[in-house]
C-alpha cells in the first residue's frame, strides 16, 4: 500500500511524503504506482521550474519526500493543490486498499 502524508503548517503546505508500493499489479505494470510517481515527481519538478521556493527532496525505493522551506508561494500552493486533487481521484477510483492519504499538521 502507498501511504501519503500531506504536511501542513499554519494553513500552508509544508511538504509531503509518499511511501510504499500499491501492489495493484506486478512491478513494471502497476498503474497506481506509476500514477502516484508521476504526480509527486512532476509536482517537485514544477515547483523547481516555476517558483523560487526553497525545498529539500529525499527519494528511494518506494519513497518520495518533499520538505518545503519558509513561506510557500501561491504557485507552489496551487501545484500542491493540483497534486492532492490527482491523488484523491486515484484513491477514489481504486480504493483505500492500494493508497491512503492523510493530512498532518506539523
Amino acid at each position: 500500500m502507498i501511504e501519503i502524508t500531506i504536511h501542513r503548517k499554519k494553513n500552508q503546505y509544508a511538504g509531503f511524503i509518499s511511501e510504499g508500493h500499491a501492489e495493484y499489479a506486478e512491478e513494471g505494470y502497476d498503474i497506481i504506482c506509476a500514477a502516484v510517481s508521476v504526480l509527486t515527481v512532476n509536482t517537485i519538478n514544477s515547483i523547481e521550474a516555476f517558483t523560487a521556493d526553497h525545498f529539500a527532496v529525499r527519494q528511494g525505493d518506494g519513497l518520495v519526500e518533499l520538505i518545503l522551506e519558509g513561506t510557500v508561494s501561491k504557485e507552489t500552493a496551487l501545484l500542491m493543490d493540483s497534486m492532492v486533487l490527482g491523488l484523491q481521484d486515484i484513491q477514489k477510483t481504486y480504493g483505500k486498499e492500494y493508497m491512503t492519504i492523510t493530512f498532518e499538521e506539523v
Side-chain angles (χ1 to χ4, degrees):
M1 174 189 304
I2 299 172
E3 295 177 350
I4 299 169
T5 305
I6 309 296
H7 296 120
R8 296 186 61 86
K9 184 176 184 179
K10 297 181 181 178
N11 290 327
Q12 83 169 11
Y13 287 108
F16 69 85
I17 186 165
S18 174
E19 298 179 282
H21 297 281
E23 298 179 6
Y24 178 77
E26 66 182 79
E27 188 175 337
Y29 297 93
D30 194 322
I31 60 174
I32 296 173
C33 276
V36 169
S37 293
V38 167
L39 284 171
T40 56
V41 172
N42 188 65
T43 298
I44 293 167
N45 290 342
S46 295
I47 291 169
E48 181 176 37
F50 301 126
T51 78
D53 291 354
H54 298 282
F55 60 88
V57 175
R58 186 169 60 118
Q59 290 182 297
D61 182 37
L63 171 74
V64 177
E65 181 176 24
L66 170 70
I67 302 163
L68 295 165
E69 301 169 357
T71 302
V72 174
S73 67
K74 290 180 186 178
E75 293 83 5
T76 292
L78 180 61
L79 291 165
M80 290 288 294
D81 283 342
S82 179
M83 180 192 75
V84 169
L85 178 67
L87 293 170
Q88 288 174 327
D89 194 42
I90 293 166
Q91 183 182 45
K92 181 179 174 184
T93 301
Y94 293 97
K96 292 181 181 179
E97 66 191 86
Y98 299 108
M99 183 179 76
T100 61
I101 303 169
T102 58
F103 292 86
E104 183 178 283
E105 186 73 19
V106 293

XYZ file of all heavy atoms in Angstrom:
825
model
N 0.840 -1.179 0.000
C 0.000 0.000 0.000
C 0.888 1.247 0.000
O 1.909 1.286 0.666
C -0.908 0.021 1.221
C -1.687 1.318 1.315
S -2.595 1.581 2.835
C -3.608 0.136 2.890
N 0.447 2.260 -0.738
C 1.131 3.552 -0.728
C 0.471 4.393 0.359
O -0.753 4.546 0.384
C 1.018 4.265 -2.084
C 1.662 3.431 -3.182
C 1.658 5.657 -2.008
C 1.440 3.971 -4.582
N 1.298 4.935 1.232
C 0.806 5.826 2.280
C 1.359 7.213 2.005
O 2.577 7.411 1.956
C 1.252 5.332 3.653
C 0.646 3.990 4.011
C 1.138 3.452 5.343
O 2.090 4.015 5.924
O 0.566 2.450 5.798
N 0.450 8.158 1.807
C 0.847 9.530 1.508
C 0.394 10.413 2.652
O -0.766 10.367 3.064
C 0.217 10.014 0.189
C 0.689 9.118 -0.955
C 0.570 11.487 -0.069
C -0.037 9.318 -2.242
N 1.319 11.204 3.158
C 1.004 12.162 4.203
C 1.320 13.555 3.666
O 2.448 13.809 3.232
C 1.812 11.897 5.485
O 1.587 10.545 5.903
C 1.399 12.842 6.596
N 0.324 14.416 3.681
C 0.481 15.804 3.265
C 0.699 16.621 4.535
O -0.145 16.604 5.438
C -0.780 16.322 2.522
C -1.198 15.370 1.392
C -0.563 17.754 2.047
C -0.214 15.216 0.279
N 1.829 17.303 4.612
C 2.152 18.099 5.790
C 1.720 19.553 5.587
O 1.967 20.132 4.531
C 3.651 18.044 6.073
C 4.129 16.682 6.405
N 5.077 16.022 5.673
C 3.769 15.822 7.390
C 5.297 14.837 6.192
N 4.503 14.683 7.226
N 1.073 20.080 6.626
C 0.650 21.482 6.615
C 1.122 22.132 7.906
O 1.221 21.481 8.940
C -0.862 21.579 6.482
C -1.379 21.016 5.146
C -2.847 21.238 4.939
N -3.228 22.618 4.902
C -3.215 23.394 3.809
N -2.813 22.898 2.674
N -3.604 24.643 3.851
N 1.401 23.425 7.796
C 1.813 24.193 8.963
C 1.125 25.548 8.884
O 1.359 26.306 7.946
C 3.337 24.366 8.981
C 3.865 25.061 10.203
C 5.383 25.085 10.179
C 5.919 25.692 11.459
N 7.384 25.693 11.468
N 0.259 25.802 9.847
C -0.473 27.070 9.910
C -1.159 27.400 8.586
O -0.961 28.456 7.994
C 0.458 28.204 10.334
C 1.026 28.024 11.719
C 1.912 29.177 12.102
C 2.489 28.937 13.494
N 3.401 30.006 13.891
N -1.964 26.486 8.100
C -2.774 26.660 6.887
C -1.969 26.835 5.602
O -2.456 27.411 4.635
C -3.765 27.816 7.048
C -4.861 27.486 8.019
O -5.287 26.344 8.128
N -5.316 28.485 8.756
N -0.730 26.364 5.593
C 0.018 26.343 4.342
C 0.745 25.013 4.229
O 1.005 24.351 5.225
C 0.984 27.522 4.227
C 2.320 27.363 4.900
C 3.282 28.478 4.494
O 2.918 29.465 3.882
N 4.529 28.320 4.850
N 1.036 24.620 3.018
C 1.727 23.362 2.793
C 3.149 23.431 3.349
O 3.827 24.441 3.238
C 1.794 23.036 1.297
C 0.488 22.605 0.709
C -0.220 23.444 -0.139
C -0.045 21.354 0.999
C -1.421 23.044 -0.689
C -1.249 20.953 0.452
C -1.933 21.802 -0.392
O -3.126 21.398 -0.928
N 3.569 22.311 3.942
C 4.941 22.182 4.432
C 5.669 21.053 3.711
O 6.867 20.863 3.898
C 4.944 21.938 5.939
N 4.936 20.282 2.888
C 5.545 19.201 2.118
C 4.675 17.959 2.124
O 3.491 18.006 2.484
N 5.278 16.847 1.717
C 4.571 15.571 1.718
C 5.583 14.438 1.739
O 6.764 14.628 1.453
C 3.657 15.423 0.490
C 4.391 15.280 -0.818
C 4.849 14.046 -1.261
C 4.630 16.386 -1.612
C 5.539 13.918 -2.451
C 5.306 16.276 -2.814
C 5.764 15.039 -3.236
N 5.097 13.262 2.100
C 5.892 12.043 1.992
C 4.992 10.955 1.399
O 3.836 10.826 1.786
C 6.508 11.613 3.343
C 7.440 10.428 3.143
C 5.452 11.338 4.373
C 8.365 10.153 4.316
N 5.522 10.245 0.432
C 4.833 9.124 -0.196
C 5.717 7.902 0.006
O 6.876 7.897 -0.413
C 4.625 9.400 -1.689
O 4.078 8.271 -2.334
N 5.161 6.875 0.662
C 5.936 5.675 0.981
C 5.169 4.425 0.584
O 3.959 4.348 0.781
C 6.207 5.594 2.491
C 7.025 6.730 3.045
C 7.220 6.587 4.542
O 6.266 6.903 5.287
O 8.313 6.155 4.953
N 5.897 3.460 0.055
C 5.329 2.149 -0.218
C 5.009 1.914 -1.679
O 5.261 2.751 -2.548
N 4.434 0.750 -1.920
C 4.021 0.325 -3.259
C 2.564 -0.111 -3.197
O 2.133 -0.731 -2.230
C 4.889 -0.841 -3.744
C 6.334 -0.474 -3.901
N 6.800 0.224 -4.992
C 7.407 -0.693 -3.109
C 8.102 0.408 -4.870
N 8.497 -0.138 -3.724
N 1.821 0.194 -4.248
C 0.387 -0.109 -4.260
C 0.116 -1.605 -4.304
O -0.868 -2.080 -3.749
C -0.283 0.569 -5.453
N 0.956 -2.357 -4.989
C 0.771 -3.794 -5.187
C -0.547 -4.095 -5.895
O -1.197 -5.095 -5.647
C 0.909 -4.542 -3.864
C 2.302 -4.362 -3.267
C 2.496 -5.060 -1.939
O 1.599 -5.799 -1.490
O 3.568 -4.858 -1.346
N -0.920 -3.198 -6.803
C -2.106 -3.387 -7.635
C -1.815 -4.393 -8.741
O -2.688 -5.152 -9.139
C -2.505 -2.027 -8.223
C -3.687 -2.051 -9.140
C -4.982 -2.150 -8.636
C -3.520 -1.941 -10.519
C -6.085 -2.158 -9.486
C -4.613 -1.949 -11.370
C -5.889 -2.057 -10.854
O -6.976 -2.052 -11.694
N -0.569 -4.380 -9.223
C -0.124 -5.294 -10.276
C 1.358 -5.555 -10.057
O 1.992 -4.930 -9.208
C -0.364 -4.688 -11.652
N 1.922 -6.463 -10.837
C 3.339 -6.768 -10.665
C 4.189 -5.555 -11.046
O 3.758 -4.672 -11.789
C 3.743 -8.002 -11.470
C 3.655 -7.842 -12.972
C 4.028 -9.125 -13.695
O 3.177 -10.025 -13.765
O 5.167 -9.205 -14.169
N 5.397 -5.527 -10.497
C 6.326 -4.425 -10.731
C 6.504 -4.187 -12.227
O 6.646 -5.117 -13.007
C 7.681 -4.736 -10.092
C 8.630 -3.570 -10.124
C 9.925 -3.850 -9.389
O 9.942 -4.731 -8.506
O 10.911 -3.188 -9.714
N 6.458 -2.928 -12.598
C 6.568 -2.565 -14.003
C 5.225 -2.427 -14.701
O 5.143 -1.872 -15.789
N 4.158 -2.934 -14.071
C 2.819 -2.885 -14.655
C 1.800 -2.240 -13.714
O 0.608 -2.248 -14.007
C 2.343 -4.297 -15.025
C 3.203 -4.928 -16.086
C 4.278 -5.742 -15.725
C 2.969 -4.693 -17.432
C 5.092 -6.317 -16.694
C 3.773 -5.267 -18.409
C 4.837 -6.073 -18.028
O 5.645 -6.626 -18.992
N 2.263 -1.721 -12.611
C 1.373 -1.180 -11.591
C 1.002 0.259 -11.939
O 1.793 1.183 -11.735
C 2.035 -1.260 -10.218
C 1.066 -1.029 -9.084
O 0.165 -0.174 -9.228
O 1.200 -1.700 -8.053
N -0.207 0.444 -12.465
C -0.617 1.775 -12.903
C -0.839 2.745 -11.746
O -0.684 3.955 -11.917
C -1.870 1.712 -13.802
C -3.057 1.097 -13.070
C -1.566 0.977 -15.096
C -4.363 1.127 -13.854
N -1.155 2.238 -10.573
C -1.332 3.120 -9.418
C 0.016 3.672 -8.985
O 0.171 4.882 -8.779
C -2.057 2.404 -8.262
C -3.468 2.024 -8.687
C -2.097 3.299 -7.017
C -4.219 1.174 -7.691
N 1.011 2.810 -8.862
C 2.361 3.277 -8.510
C 2.864 4.279 -9.538
O 3.453 5.307 -9.191
C 3.337 2.107 -8.401
S 3.329 1.278 -6.802
N 2.643 3.974 -10.812
C 3.101 4.868 -11.874
C 2.419 6.233 -11.776
O 3.074 7.276 -11.889
C 2.852 4.236 -13.228
N 1.119 6.224 -11.554
C 0.378 7.484 -11.472
C 0.821 8.323 -10.273
O 1.011 9.535 -10.387
C -1.118 7.200 -11.398
N 0.998 7.682 -9.125
C 1.445 8.396 -7.930
C 2.846 8.955 -8.156
O 3.127 10.109 -7.810
C 1.384 7.486 -6.681
C 2.092 8.126 -5.496
C -0.061 7.162 -6.340
N 3.717 8.185 -8.764
C 5.076 8.653 -9.052
C 5.057 9.862 -9.976
O 5.770 10.844 -9.740
C 5.909 7.542 -9.679
O 6.137 6.513 -8.749
N 4.254 9.795 -11.014
C 4.170 10.910 -11.959
C 3.677 12.169 -11.253
O 4.254 13.247 -11.415
C 3.264 10.562 -13.155
C 2.913 11.798 -13.967
C 3.927 9.528 -14.036
N 2.625 12.053 -10.474
C 2.084 13.229 -9.791
C 3.072 13.829 -8.798
O 3.271 15.047 -8.770
C 0.778 12.876 -9.079
C -0.447 12.724 -9.968
C -1.608 12.152 -9.171
C -0.827 14.053 -10.593
N 3.686 12.989 -7.982
C 4.579 13.516 -6.946
C 5.866 14.088 -7.541
O 6.274 15.200 -7.188
C 4.902 12.443 -5.887
O 5.464 11.294 -6.524
C 3.666 12.046 -5.103
N 6.483 13.369 -8.451
C 7.744 13.841 -9.043
C 7.497 15.069 -9.919
O 8.275 16.023 -9.895
C 8.452 12.707 -9.811
C 9.642 13.230 -10.589
C 8.894 11.608 -8.837
N 6.404 15.084 -10.681
C 6.107 16.249 -11.505
C 5.832 17.480 -10.651
O 6.207 18.594 -11.026
C 4.930 15.977 -12.438
C 4.742 17.101 -13.417
O 5.599 17.354 -14.258
N 3.625 17.805 -13.299
N 5.198 17.301 -9.518
C 4.960 18.428 -8.616
C 6.284 19.010 -8.140
O 6.484 20.228 -8.171
C 4.089 17.995 -7.416
O 2.819 17.558 -7.918
C 3.885 19.139 -6.437
N 7.202 18.156 -7.738
C 8.518 18.625 -7.301
C 9.237 19.338 -8.445
O 9.777 20.441 -8.271
C 9.356 17.455 -6.756
C 8.743 16.918 -5.464
C 10.811 17.883 -6.533
C 9.293 15.577 -5.006
N 9.247 18.730 -9.625
C 9.905 19.345 -10.780
C 9.269 20.676 -11.149
O 9.965 21.631 -11.517
C 9.873 18.397 -11.976
C 10.764 17.192 -11.792
O 11.661 17.179 -10.959
N 10.498 16.151 -12.561
N 7.953 20.762 -11.044
C 7.248 22.001 -11.364
C 7.547 23.100 -10.357
O 7.719 24.264 -10.731
C 5.740 21.747 -11.442
O 5.449 20.877 -12.510
N 7.614 22.752 -9.081
C 7.973 23.741 -8.062
C 9.375 24.278 -8.345
O 9.615 25.486 -8.271
C 7.866 23.134 -6.643
C 6.398 22.874 -6.294
C 8.521 24.057 -5.603
C 6.198 22.037 -5.041
N 10.279 23.396 -8.710
C 11.649 23.819 -9.025
C 11.691 24.709 -10.273
O 12.380 25.721 -10.301
C 12.545 22.603 -9.228
C 13.987 22.969 -9.524
C 14.879 21.755 -9.627
O 14.444 20.708 -10.150
O 16.039 21.866 -9.172
N 10.935 24.339 -11.302
C 10.988 25.061 -12.576
C 10.210 26.382 -12.561
O 10.617 27.336 -13.219
C 10.450 24.166 -13.695
N 9.100 26.430 -11.841
C 8.194 27.563 -11.972
C 8.099 28.478 -10.757
O 7.333 29.444 -10.782
C 6.792 27.067 -12.331
C 6.749 26.282 -13.606
C 6.203 25.007 -13.627
C 7.257 26.802 -14.783
C 6.158 24.265 -14.805
C 7.223 26.078 -15.964
C 6.675 24.805 -15.978
N 8.843 28.162 -9.688
C 8.803 29.020 -8.499
C 10.230 29.277 -8.014
O 11.176 28.633 -8.451
C 7.998 28.385 -7.341
O 8.785 27.387 -6.679
C 6.684 27.785 -7.816
N 10.332 30.200 -7.083
C 11.616 30.480 -6.443
C 11.653 29.892 -5.030
O 12.568 30.169 -4.260
C 11.854 31.990 -6.396
N 10.665 29.070 -4.694
C 10.587 28.487 -3.353
C 11.739 27.519 -3.111
O 12.231 26.876 -4.030
C 9.247 27.764 -3.173
C 8.070 28.729 -3.136
O 8.298 29.957 -3.129
O 6.930 28.263 -3.124
N 12.137 27.436 -1.862
C 13.227 26.545 -1.466
C 12.646 25.270 -0.854
O 11.634 25.307 -0.152
C 14.143 27.235 -0.451
C 14.792 28.456 -1.028
N 15.867 28.397 -1.878
C 14.498 29.770 -0.879
C 16.213 29.612 -2.236
N 15.395 30.473 -1.636
N 13.311 24.149 -1.120
C 12.823 22.867 -0.626
C 13.953 21.851 -0.611
O 15.013 22.061 -1.183
C 11.669 22.355 -1.503
C 12.045 22.138 -2.948
C 12.564 20.926 -3.376
C 11.877 23.152 -3.873
C 12.912 20.726 -4.708
C 12.215 22.960 -5.207
C 12.727 21.739 -5.620
N 13.681 20.745 0.058
C 14.586 19.596 0.071
C 13.788 18.380 -0.375
O 12.576 18.309 -0.162
C 15.152 19.376 1.477
N 14.480 17.438 -1.005
C 13.841 16.224 -1.512
C 14.629 15.017 -1.039
O 15.860 15.052 -0.976
C 13.786 16.225 -3.063
C 13.246 14.908 -3.585
C 12.962 17.382 -3.564
N 13.902 13.969 -0.720
C 14.510 12.675 -0.396
C 13.780 11.635 -1.222
O 12.559 11.615 -1.267
C 14.357 12.402 1.101
C 15.066 11.180 1.590
C 15.098 11.121 3.112
N 13.764 11.106 3.695
C 13.279 10.113 4.434
N 14.016 9.041 4.700
N 12.070 10.177 4.943
N 14.544 10.772 -1.907
C 13.953 9.725 -2.730
C 14.658 8.402 -2.489
O 15.845 8.363 -2.198
C 14.059 10.077 -4.216
C 13.177 11.224 -4.642
C 13.272 11.497 -6.117
O 14.330 11.849 -6.612
N 12.156 11.333 -6.814
N 13.926 7.333 -2.636
C 14.450 5.985 -2.515
C 13.431 5.020 -3.079
O 12.430 5.431 -3.672
N 13.657 3.738 -2.893
C 12.716 2.733 -3.386
C 11.382 2.889 -2.666
O 11.288 2.700 -1.456
C 13.274 1.328 -3.162
C 12.340 0.249 -3.695
O 11.716 0.474 -4.755
O 12.225 -0.804 -3.040
N 10.357 3.276 -3.408
C 9.040 3.453 -2.821
C 8.922 4.670 -1.931
O 8.007 4.768 -1.118
N 9.828 5.634 -2.075
C 9.839 6.816 -1.204
C 10.077 8.080 -2.011
O 11.013 8.146 -2.810
C 10.947 6.694 -0.154
C 11.222 7.943 0.685
C 10.111 8.158 1.697
C 12.560 7.838 1.390
N 9.203 9.061 -1.808
C 9.411 10.418 -2.312
C 8.977 11.353 -1.191
O 7.852 11.252 -0.687
C 8.581 10.719 -3.583
C 8.782 12.162 -4.025
C 8.932 9.769 -4.703
N 9.879 12.257 -0.797
C 9.551 13.214 0.259
C 9.947 14.607 -0.189
O 11.043 14.808 -0.709
C 10.272 12.869 1.560
C 9.943 13.822 2.688
C 10.581 13.441 4.014
O 11.612 12.733 4.005
O 10.057 13.860 5.046
N 9.049 15.560 0.014
C 9.292 16.960 -0.265
C 9.153 17.728 1.033
O 8.136 17.595 1.728
C 8.279 17.493 -1.294
C 8.273 19.010 -1.504
C 9.542 19.451 -2.227
C 7.032 19.435 -2.276
N 10.162 18.521 1.362
C 10.118 19.381 2.543
C 10.227 20.816 2.055
O 11.276 21.215 1.527
C 11.262 19.051 3.520
C 11.195 17.585 3.937
C 11.224 19.979 4.729
C 12.463 17.051 4.563
N 9.149 21.560 2.184
C 9.129 22.952 1.763
C 9.710 23.814 2.868
O 9.413 23.605 4.050
C 7.706 23.387 1.422
C 7.088 22.674 0.225
C 5.582 22.890 0.182
C 7.748 23.128 -1.064
N 10.524 24.775 2.477
C 11.215 25.627 3.445
C 10.687 27.054 3.359
O 10.539 27.603 2.272
C 12.719 25.594 3.165
C 13.298 24.193 3.253
C 14.714 24.082 2.723
O 15.256 25.077 2.216
O 15.271 22.973 2.810
N 10.402 27.645 4.498
C 9.951 29.032 4.526
C 8.517 29.188 4.073
O 7.727 28.246 4.037
N 8.187 30.413 3.682
C 6.845 30.729 3.213
C 6.652 30.171 1.812
O 7.524 30.288 0.962
C 6.635 32.257 3.200
O 6.862 32.758 4.520
C 5.221 32.605 2.772
N 5.507 29.581 1.583
C 5.208 28.936 0.307
C 4.447 29.925 -0.584
O 3.485 30.553 -0.145
C 4.371 27.660 0.544
C 3.920 27.048 -0.752
C 5.186 26.657 1.350
N 4.879 30.031 -1.831
C 4.243 30.939 -2.781
C 2.878 30.421 -3.202
O 2.546 29.243 -3.023
C 5.127 31.096 -4.021
O 5.192 29.868 -4.734
N 2.080 31.314 -3.818
C 0.775 30.924 -4.356
C 0.943 29.857 -5.433
O 0.118 28.962 -5.557
C 0.059 32.135 -4.948
C -0.408 33.134 -3.924
C -1.103 34.300 -4.613
C -1.453 35.376 -3.606
N -2.076 36.540 -4.260
N 2.009 29.960 -6.222
C 2.254 28.994 -7.288
C 2.505 27.592 -6.723
O 1.957 26.606 -7.223
C 3.443 29.429 -8.155
C 3.199 30.688 -8.956
C 3.418 31.977 -8.170
O 3.860 31.934 -7.004
O 3.126 33.046 -8.721
N 3.322 27.511 -5.685
C 3.582 26.212 -5.059
C 2.313 25.661 -4.424
O 2.026 24.470 -4.539
C 4.720 26.312 -4.026
O 5.941 26.573 -4.736
C 4.874 25.043 -3.214
N 1.542 26.519 -3.777
C 0.282 26.072 -3.172
C -0.651 25.510 -4.247
O -1.282 24.467 -4.046
C -0.385 27.218 -2.422
N -0.717 26.165 -5.391
C -1.560 25.684 -6.488
C -1.050 24.348 -7.023
O -1.840 23.428 -7.276
C -1.620 26.716 -7.611
C -2.463 26.340 -8.822
C -3.928 26.116 -8.430
C -2.341 27.405 -9.893
N 0.255 24.214 -7.187
C 0.833 22.947 -7.651
C 0.548 21.827 -6.656
O 0.213 20.699 -7.053
C 2.327 23.101 -7.899
C 2.700 23.984 -9.094
C 4.178 24.365 -9.039
C 2.368 23.286 -10.398
N 0.647 22.115 -5.373
C 0.347 21.114 -4.352
C -1.140 20.770 -4.360
O -1.502 19.598 -4.243
C 0.784 21.616 -2.967
C 2.287 21.700 -2.773
S 3.075 20.088 -2.637
C 2.391 19.504 -1.088
N -2.002 21.786 -4.501
C -3.453 21.521 -4.598
C -3.746 20.589 -5.768
O -4.565 19.667 -5.651
C -4.233 22.827 -4.808
C -4.392 23.660 -3.554
O -4.213 23.127 -2.435
O -4.715 24.862 -3.696
N -3.092 20.828 -6.893
C -3.287 20.000 -8.078
C -2.842 18.559 -7.826
O -3.531 17.612 -8.206
C -2.526 20.601 -9.260
O -2.688 19.813 -10.402
N -1.696 18.390 -7.165
C -1.211 17.048 -6.847
C -2.202 16.328 -5.931
O -2.560 15.172 -6.168
C 0.166 17.107 -6.176
C 0.731 15.736 -5.830
S 2.175 15.799 -4.757
C 1.409 16.198 -3.174
N -2.650 17.019 -4.895
C -3.602 16.419 -3.950
C -4.887 16.025 -4.666
O -5.421 14.928 -4.440
C -3.876 17.372 -2.762
C -5.056 16.890 -1.926
C -2.621 17.525 -1.902
N -5.388 16.878 -5.544
C -6.593 16.560 -6.303
C -6.405 15.274 -7.108
O -7.250 14.387 -7.095
C -6.945 17.722 -7.238
C -8.165 17.522 -8.134
C -9.439 17.467 -7.300
C -8.236 18.642 -9.159
N -5.269 15.161 -7.792
C -4.991 13.953 -8.574
C -4.871 12.714 -7.705
O -5.405 11.653 -8.046
N -4.183 12.840 -6.576
C -4.031 11.698 -5.667
C -5.375 11.258 -5.100
O -5.662 10.065 -5.002
C -3.052 12.047 -4.538
C -1.594 12.252 -4.945
C -0.795 12.820 -3.788
C -0.977 10.964 -5.465
N -6.207 12.230 -4.721
C -7.524 11.891 -4.185
C -8.390 11.208 -5.239
O -9.154 10.294 -4.917
C -8.221 13.142 -3.644
C -7.596 13.639 -2.364
C -8.166 14.961 -1.889
O -8.561 15.817 -2.680
N -8.185 15.150 -0.577
N -8.250 11.617 -6.488
C -9.006 10.984 -7.561
C -8.559 9.536 -7.768
O -9.383 8.650 -7.982
C -8.861 11.786 -8.861
C -9.872 11.365 -9.906
O -11.048 11.140 -9.544
O -9.492 11.262 -11.084
N -7.248 9.298 -7.682
C -6.736 7.925 -7.784
C -7.301 7.077 -6.648
O -7.772 5.962 -6.855
C -5.197 7.894 -7.776
C -4.639 8.537 -9.049
C -4.674 6.468 -7.631
C -3.157 8.839 -8.970
N -7.259 7.622 -5.438
C -7.772 6.886 -4.280
C -9.265 6.599 -4.431
O -9.728 5.497 -4.131
C -7.516 7.666 -2.998
C -7.950 6.926 -1.750
C -7.741 7.739 -0.499
O -8.069 8.915 -0.458
N -7.178 7.109 0.506
N -10.011 7.562 -4.916
C -11.459 7.391 -5.115
C -11.729 6.307 -6.159
O -12.635 5.484 -5.993
C -12.074 8.715 -5.545
C -13.554 8.673 -5.755
C -14.065 10.041 -6.167
C -15.534 9.997 -6.535
N -16.014 11.291 -7.015
N -10.932 6.287 -7.215
C -11.136 5.337 -8.305
C -10.732 3.919 -7.922
O -11.447 2.966 -8.223
C -10.341 5.783 -9.555
O -10.800 7.087 -9.936
C -10.526 4.811 -10.708
N -9.595 3.754 -7.254
C -9.049 2.415 -6.997
C -9.226 1.928 -5.568
O -9.064 0.742 -5.300
C -7.569 2.373 -7.388
C -7.384 2.516 -8.877
C -7.095 3.740 -9.442
C -7.560 1.419 -9.723
C -6.952 3.882 -10.819
C -7.423 1.548 -11.097
C -7.119 2.783 -11.635
O -6.999 2.913 -12.986
N -9.537 2.811 -4.639
C -9.828 2.392 -3.276
C -8.667 2.539 -2.313
O -7.505 2.621 -2.698
N -9.034 2.564 -1.046
C -8.065 2.757 0.029
C -7.211 1.532 0.302
O -6.290 1.586 1.094
C -8.783 3.202 1.305
C -9.384 4.578 1.196
C -10.063 4.997 2.481
C -10.671 6.382 2.329
N -11.356 6.806 3.544
N -7.509 0.413 -0.340
C -6.679 -0.769 -0.131
C -5.331 -0.645 -0.828
O -4.384 -1.359 -0.508
C -7.405 -2.026 -0.603
C -7.644 -2.072 -2.106
C -8.583 -3.173 -2.500
O -9.805 -2.925 -2.463
O -8.095 -4.265 -2.845
N -5.226 0.292 -1.780
C -3.976 0.481 -2.522
C -3.244 1.759 -2.132
O -2.034 1.853 -2.290
C -4.239 0.504 -4.026
C -4.835 -0.775 -4.524
C -6.165 -0.842 -4.915
C -4.075 -1.937 -4.574
C -6.724 -2.029 -5.354
C -4.628 -3.132 -5.010
C -5.948 -3.172 -5.400
O -6.486 -4.356 -5.827
N -3.986 2.755 -1.616
C -3.376 4.033 -1.294
C -4.202 4.762 -0.241
O -5.431 4.776 -0.329
C -3.288 4.900 -2.551
C -2.610 6.217 -2.324
S -2.492 7.201 -3.834
C -4.158 7.794 -3.975
N -3.519 5.351 0.729
C -4.197 6.200 1.712
C -3.546 7.576 1.688
O -2.352 7.715 1.436
C -4.109 5.630 3.142
O -2.733 5.534 3.533
C -4.770 4.268 3.242
N -4.360 8.569 1.941
C -3.883 9.954 2.023
C -4.318 10.508 3.367
O -5.498 10.418 3.732
C -4.493 10.824 0.905
C -4.191 10.241 -0.467
C -3.983 12.264 1.005
C -4.982 10.887 -1.596
N -3.367 11.064 4.093
C -3.687 11.727 5.361
C -3.086 13.121 5.354
O -2.089 13.378 4.663
C -3.159 10.937 6.577
O -1.753 10.769 6.449
C -3.823 9.582 6.701
N -3.695 13.994 6.119
C -3.199 15.369 6.272
C -2.737 15.505 7.712
O -3.450 15.104 8.636
C -4.312 16.369 5.949
C -4.693 16.347 4.501
C -5.631 15.434 4.027
C -4.109 17.217 3.597
C -5.986 15.387 2.688
C -4.453 17.179 2.247
C -5.386 16.264 1.796
N -1.558 16.071 7.869
C -0.957 16.164 9.194
C -0.436 17.574 9.430
O 0.260 18.136 8.590
C 0.188 15.157 9.282
C 0.880 15.064 10.604
C 1.953 13.998 10.592
O 1.600 12.806 10.685
O 3.138 14.368 10.456
N -0.767 18.120 10.591
C -0.238 19.406 10.997
C 1.150 19.185 11.612
O 1.316 18.325 12.462
C -1.189 20.071 12.010
C -0.837 21.460 12.395
C -1.099 22.503 11.321
O -1.875 22.245 10.382
O -0.507 23.595 11.438
N 2.123 19.956 11.147
C 3.495 19.805 11.663
C 3.947 21.058 12.364
O 3.385 22.101 12.216
C 4.489 19.431 10.560
C 4.202 18.036 10.043
C 4.508 20.437 9.434
